[in-house]
Amino acid sequence: MKLTKKEVSKYIPRDISFDILSKLPLKSLKRFTCVCKFWTNLFEKPEFMRMYRKHLSTSTYDDHNSRLLFKQTPAGYMSDEDNLYILSNETFENSIKLDWPPPFESHHIDMCVFDSVVNGILCVYQGSGSCTSTLFGQTVVLWSQSTDEFKVIPDGSIEHLILKAFPPGTVFEELPIIPTFVGIHGFCYDPVTDDYKLIRRFGFSLNPQNINDDIVSFWQIYSLKSNCWRDLQVEVDMPGNMGRTVDFAVNLHGMCHWLGNVGTIVGEDELVSFNLSDETFIRTPLIHVDDGPFIVHLVVLKESIALMEMDDYGGYLISILGELGVAESLTRLFRTGILPDIQEIIGVGKNGNIFYVTGDEEIAKYNLNTEMNEEIGVRGRFGSCQMVIYNESLLPMEGILS
């Protein structure tokens, strides 16, 4: 039986509707599951999942103005100096080596690029974060590589925090050594105040024999406009992440997000989100499908918070969070193929590429769309390499600083 003209005008072919829906963020997509019965179980339909997987990582970045930065510590132990490259076509062929900004030009060991690059500005820091009341263990710089401008972030004062952690008259006041840790957890742009801000956590250990026990922590926020740090008022301590430098933090929609450790076992994590506009925290418990422990990576896919959990077979489970604070809104999408001899993920590229270090310290990539693995032609030390997507901007930092 032929369809009438009126019926044809109301009918959308399945492949066209799937293509449209597969480009939507998860929260918008879930709203459409009640439109008709056929759309109710979209994530169980292989045809739709192939399209959704294809578009998963193509809408987050501007392909014309974004490039890939590779922070490399050479494989083996011939050199500890960190190198920084811009990659062409996400391979090492025709890469360009960059100079580190001052004050790291002559001494660039133990370097790290924060996961989030904001409007062409990188947050680069040096040091493990271990410090004392008189010696700060981290140097932080905001750097625009395109305009060759930089801003050294002041250390700020921590003496008042030590007095809060160890009040006069307590037994802790007599501790000969106060193990202290500091770590950047967020770098983001606040559109309400037109300001760039950093979030950091201080941790003081009450047990010098086991510095991971009995941690008292404090949170601070830095404003580029005021060029100073101030304390955040936190009624209930938020989980921090002092042991990770790669894929544990992102920014999205004016909020900073990071994986916070709530236990001593790898994989006992929560997602912690900080809203810059009202300076509030949101905690989202992470529910694992299988028994742990897990190695979890935090990335942005399709304008949503996404998690990558390593399984026992060398592959990863990809999940997307639908709503902050709601653990049940974490939707499991699919498992990747095997990433051969993987030791750790070092970053996610623009075109569905996951970059990782192998047991031979080769840098390789796995493509979510083709499910193929490929070495990119360079080696790097395990535990010391990063891949970061860099969105170029020619806007001068001096305009921001003024």
Side-chain angles (χ1 to χ4, degrees):
M1 184 178 71
K2 291 185 178 180
L3 295 174
T4 66
K5 212 180 242 188
K6 186 176 181 181
E7 289 172 325
V8 169
S9 66
K10 294 182 179 180
Y11 174 74
I12 302 177
R14 180 182 302 178
D15 57 341
I16 295 178
S17 64
F18 275 10
D19 185 57
I20 295 171
L21 292 170
S22 66
K23 297 176 182 177
L24 295 176
L26 179 65
K27 192 170 184 178
S28 301
L29 179 59
K30 287 202 167 185
R31 292 198 192 107
F32 288 98
T33 57
C34 61
V35 171
C36 65
K37 186 176 181 180
F38 187 73
W39 288 1
T40 303
N41 300 312
L42 284 173
F43 291 114
E44 297 176 11
K45 302 185 189 315
E47 182 184 355
F48 173 78
M49 286 306 299
R50 281 194 296 271
M51 292 186 179
Y52 193 82
R53 186 169 179 154
K54 178 182 177 181
H55 295 300
L56 193 60
S57 59
T58 57
S59 60
T60 303
Y61 302 101
D62 182 350
D63 288 335
H64 298 291
N65 295 318
S66 61
R67 295 191 282 178
L68 203 60
L69 287 181
F70 173 44
K71 197 276 290 190
Q72 176 222 33
T73 304
Y77 292 92
M78 298 298 293
S79 172
D80 287 327
E81 291 198 343
D82 294 311
N83 303 312
L84 190 64
Y85 298 90
I86 289 181
L87 301 192
S88 175
N89 299 322
E90 305 206 347
T91 67
F92 200 68
E93 186 179 5
N94 300 323
S95 61
I96 300 173
K97 187 175 181 180
L98 303 177
D99 293 326
W100 291 99
F104 310 128
E105 285 178 315
S106 59
H107 182 73
H108 38 89
I109 295 175
D110 198 17
M111 300 294 302
C112 186
V113 179
F114 194 73
D115 287 327
S116 298
V117 179
V118 184
N119 297 338
I121 300 175
L122 294 92
C123 176
V124 182
Y125 58 91
Q126 183 181 52
S128 63
S130 298
C131 52
T132 67
S133 58
T134 56
L135 179 64
F136 213 81
Q138 211 168 65
T139 301
V140 183
V141 170
L142 297 184
W143 175 37
S144 172
Q145 187 273 325
S146 299
T147 62
D148 202 27
E149 297 172 285
F150 69 94
K151 168 68 177 177
V152 180
I153 305 303
D155 293 340
S157 174
I158 65 171
E159 285 81 0
H160 70 290
L161 297 180
I162 294 176
L163 289 176
K164 284 183 179 181
F166 308 96
T170 64
V171 294
F172 302 114
E173 185 186 18
E174 305 300 325
L175 288 176
I177 300 175
I178 302 176
T180 306
F181 311 92
V182 61
I184 300 293
H185 280 61
F187 171 44
C188 203
Y189 171 71
D190 184 354
V192 177
T193 59
D194 188 25
D195 197 4
Y196 290 81
K197 297 179 179 179
L198 293 165
I199 310 297
R200 72 179 178 186
R201 177 184 184 243
F202 278 100
F204 302 99
S205 176
L206 304 180
N207 185 353
Q209 279 69 43
N210 188 345
I211 60 177
N212 293 316
D213 284 347
D214 300 324
I215 300 294
V216 177
S217 63
F218 299 93
W219 294 88
Q220 291 187 326
I221 186 169
Y222 168 82
S223 162
L224 185 59
K225 277 189 173 180
S226 65
N227 192 33
C228 66
W229 294 92
R230 63 178 173 84
D231 297 345
L232 286 170
Q233 304 303 315
V234 183
E235 295 182 2
V236 179
D237 187 28
M238 294 294 116
N241 198 324
M242 293 298 191
R244 294 265 302 272
T245 58
V246 179
D247 288 345
F248 84 94
V250 299
N251 70 67
L252 185 66
H253 304 319
M255 298 183 69
C256 300
H257 311 267
W258 62 84
L259 291 173
N261 302 132
V262 295
T264 57
I265 300 176
V266 175
E268 291 187 342
D269 300 313
E270 283 188 357
L271 176 68
V272 182
S273 305
F274 180 76
N275 192 325
L276 291 172
S277 61
D278 57 10
E279 297 188 355
T280 57
F281 291 87
I282 301 174
R283 298 173 66 168
T284 307
L286 300 183
I287 302 173
H288 298 294
V289 176
D290 306 312
D291 293 332
F294 293 90
I295 299 175
V296 183
H297 299 264
L298 188 66
V299 295
V300 174
L301 297 175
K302 290 187 77 68
E303 298 298 323
S304 300
I305 299 293
L307 299 177
M308 300 173 59
E309 304 172 54
M310 189 174 187
D311 59 27
D312 294 332
Y313 308 102
Y316 278 82
L317 174 64
I318 309 292
S319 307
I320 288 184
L321 184 68
E323 184 177 352
L324 294 177
V326 182
E328 294 75 16
S329 70
L330 191 66
T331 301
R332 317 290 172 174
L333 298 180
F334 57 84
R335 292 184 185 272
T336 69
I338 295 175
L339 283 63
D341 198 22
I342 181 174
Q343 299 301 304
E344 66 172 350
I345 286 179
I346 62 171
V348 175
K350 296 187 299 179
N351 304 310
N353 289 321
I354 301 172
F355 292 88
Y356 61 97
V357 180
T358 70
D360 295 329
E361 296 192 317
E362 293 285 347
I363 307 300
K365 63 181 179 181
Y366 171 86
N367 189 272
L368 289 174
N369 300 321
T370 65
E371 302 186 56
M372 299 292 292
N373 291 276
E374 177 187 0
E375 294 181 355
I376 70 168
V378 66
R379 301 179 70 224
R381 190 181 304 175
F382 169 74
S384 302
C385 294
Q386 291 178 266
M387 286 287 186
V388 178
I389 292 180
Y390 171 59
N391 294 299
E392 289 189 306
S393 174
L394 295 177
L395 294 175
M397 279 188 66
E398 62 183 19
I400 302 168
L401 298 177
S402 63

